[in-house]
Amino acid sequence: MTSWLGSPVFSLGMIVGEVGAGKTRTAIQLIRKAQHDGWNAELLAGKSSPGRTTGEQLRRLSMLNTPTLIVIDNAELKPVSIVELASNLAYNHGIPVRLLMLARSAGWWWKELQHQLPAAAVSDVQVLGLEHVTNSGHNAIALFAAAVESFDQRINKDSLLVTEPSILSASNDAYFGPESAMTILNLHLRALRWVLAISSPETRDEPEAALLSNELQHISRACRSNGIRMHFTRLETILAAAVLYGASTRAEAEQLMGSMPGLDVDDGLLLTDIIQDFYPSREGDFFSPLGIGALNDRLLTTNVLQNGDALLSPMTKLTRLQQMRALTTLFRLAAEVPKVGEVMAAYLNERTGDIRFELAASAGLAVGQPGVIENVLRRAYPSQSDRIRDVVAATSGSSQGDNVSTGLWHMYVGAFAPEDTGGVDIGPAYDAIELALDDIDKCRSTLEEALATVPTLSNFLEDYLSNLYESSRSLSRLADRINHAEEDPQTIRSLSRKLSLTVEELHPILAETAEVLRRDIRKLSAFQEEGLSQIAAAVRDLAGALDELEQAVPVNREKDED
């Protein structure tokens, strides 16, 4: 970004990164650097578009005589201001002028905005993407420890409560594992919450509440700027549903929005774009709302307890994978807040025909909380007491015998088995593959038969050539003796009879050879003309069957290519 400030022309730039990635912090550092170098630099950090700029102010913006950097935070909410500023700043020539936008992603809002900006402004936009802490080469544990010490000094002043061993103990868990994807805000929130838990337990949840409120207001402003008028509580439930069920594809996201009670179709499609733009895809998901585990849990727990019917109502209309994701999340939350388990059990009990026992039990096994699993499943599926006992025993590590393992395996398989209604039906694709493999098998037999003909024919021709050689030698000897018979009639008659017998002996050999040649060459010719075309057709049938399978079962090529 520092090198981007160099050229003496107007230029647009953008820093993108999910909530808490450090966009504003990075921009402030850039502003300080620019001010140190003699620039006019300012951050426009309002939550929404500022008041309309006057004509005199715009005229001054087009006639700058000092290098200028203007940073617009929450750019996706301020398209009008960006167009206004860029259109006037672009008139400056011979002097560095920069307009830097900070946004969650360069998605639908940016695609729409580009059509309204001067062509020169969008021809060479510089975009910097901020990575997660765990992807950027920084040591997350060291950053966590530094944040804890800093918060401890600010909150507790001289009476510091946090010791270095306790910091190491707090950071020694799966949260800091290599698979974790953390923004800097995520890490700082955890550090602040941990310090507050020691020094002021009654206030430890306040940072989460403030951050969650800020996020909901951010999305609410985006909805209003796009013409969606919605009660704050309802918007909160929709965001909670996006967190609970998730979506791997746009189709799944649109299906989720279409399943939310009372949500207009057009509003649902627009909300899909807004949520995906604010919380871009991560690790194969179409969107990843909030991205901060503590905020997700707080949002879900609140909505399960207060708006459980609205939040859980879409579950039966979604994919098995979305159902599984929701159930595992609910089991995990129930371990922290037992009331969540009660709501979950009541919901499942009313829909045992739609949410199968196998799916719910598999979700419980994935979480691994035997007490929670037993409480929820016994209330939800009272008729499955024997199977519940096996699941609880397996979760607690007390199961014995192959019967339990076999039963659990069948339960896992049953959880995702195709059904007549719902699930994935791969029957037609499987049948097509079976037929294609049969054709391949027939062609293989044809090929083996044709290839077997080649050595047989070769051996026969060798024998035939040997016989033909002996016959030709006999004929040659007879011809010599006839030539030397010196017109002795009796000798000539005797040699002629021998010649006739030799020719008669040779005739069936020639006839058999001709027949073998005709037969085997016909086989080779038939294979060349028909066998190869049959194999090609069978391969085409197999390719078509695999296409049908891919349509029936969405394949993640990167993960499933093995």
Side-chain angles (χ1 to χ4, degrees), residues 460 464 507-518:
F460 174 81
Y464 164 71
H507 180 76
I509 294 176
L510 292 171
E512 182 184 0
T513 301
E515 180 60 30
V516 170
L517 287 172
R518 278 195 297 270

Side-chain angles (χ1 to χ4, degrees), residues 385-454:
S385 56
D386 291 342
R387 301 176 76 190
I388 292 172
R389 183 180 62 250
D390 291 341
V391 171
V392 173
T395 308
S396 61
S398 60
S399 62
Q400 296 180 351
D402 293 336
N403 290 337
V404 172
S405 299
T406 302
L408 292 176
W409 168 248
H410 286 304
M411 186 191 70
Y412 270 122
V413 173
F416 293 97
E419 296 180 311
D420 293 335
T421 55
V424 176
D425 181 13
I426 63 171
Y430 183 81
D431 292 341
I433 288 176
E434 285 288 303
L435 291 174
L437 290 176
D438 287 343
D439 287 342
I440 291 280
D441 218 29
K442 292 176 184 176
C443 291
R444 186 179 63 185
S445 299
T446 303
L447 175 61
E448 289 174 349
E449 183 180 349
L451 292 177
T453 299
V454 175

Side-chain angles (χ1 to χ4, degrees), residues 104-119:
R104 304 285 179 88
S105 69
W108 60 270
W109 72 272
W110 175 238
K111 292 182 178 67
E112 293 294 322
L113 185 60
Q114 288 182 81
H115 298 302
Q116 306 173 44
L117 291 169

Side-chain angles (χ1 to χ4, degrees), residues 257-268:
M257 291 300 158
S259 302
M260 295 302 297
L263 181 61
D264 179 77
V265 174
D266 291 337
D267 287 350

Side-chain angles (χ1 to χ4, degrees), residues 300-301 304-305 329-331 333-334 337-345:
L300 289 176
T301 300
V304 168
L305 300 181
T329 300
L330 291 172
F331 269 117
L333 293 176
V337 183
K339 187 68 175 176
V340 171
E342 296 177 15
V343 174
M344 179 185 181

Side-chain angles (χ1 to χ4, degrees), residues 118-283:
V122 297
S123 60
D124 187 27
V125 179
Q126 300 295 313
V127 180
L128 172 68
L130 296 185
E131 299 178 332
H132 296 116
V133 170
T134 49
N135 296 334
S136 63
H138 292 292
N139 187 318
I141 296 178
L143 291 174
F144 172 78
V148 168
E149 291 176 355
S150 178
F151 284 131
D152 190 23
Q153 289 174 355
R154 296 185 188 190
I155 294 171
N156 300 314
K157 306 302 181 185
D158 296 329
S159 56
L160 301 182
L161 300 177
V162 180
T163 62
E164 186 171 341
S166 64
I167 294 177
L168 292 175
S169 174
S171 61
N172 186 25
D173 60 28
Y175 181 83
F176 295 99
E179 73 284 355
S180 299
M182 288 179 290
T183 63
I184 195 71
L185 178 61
N186 200 341
L187 190 147
H188 285 180
L189 176 63
R190 183 178 175 88
L192 176 57
R193 193 173 191 274
W194 191 71
V195 172
L196 290 175
I198 297 175
S199 60
S200 179
E202 69 279 3
T203 64
R204 70 175 185 176
D205 292 334
E206 290 181 5
E208 292 174 10
L211 276 174
L212 183 57
S213 175
N214 178 74
E215 281 301 293
L216 291 169
Q217 291 174 21
H218 198 67
I219 294 180
S220 179
R221 285 190 292 271
C223 288
R224 288 197 301 272
S225 66
N226 285 277
I228 300 178
R229 302 294 174 182
M230 186 178 299
H231 192 275
F232 197 77
T233 302
R234 191 173 177 209
L235 179 60
E236 183 178 344
T237 301
I238 291 172
L239 183 61
V243 172
L244 180 63
Y245 300 106
S248 300
T249 63
R250 183 177 186 86
E252 288 184 1
E254 291 179 352
Q255 176 65 27
L256 170 59
M257 291 300 158
S259 302
M260 295 302 297
L263 181 61
D264 179 77
V265 174
D266 291 337
D267 287 350
L269 294 175
L270 192 52
L271 267 170
T272 299
D273 285 331
I274 291 173
I275 294 175
Q276 199 274 337
D277 217 34
F278 277 25
Y279 309 104
S281 59
R282 179 198 294 172
E283 298 176 357

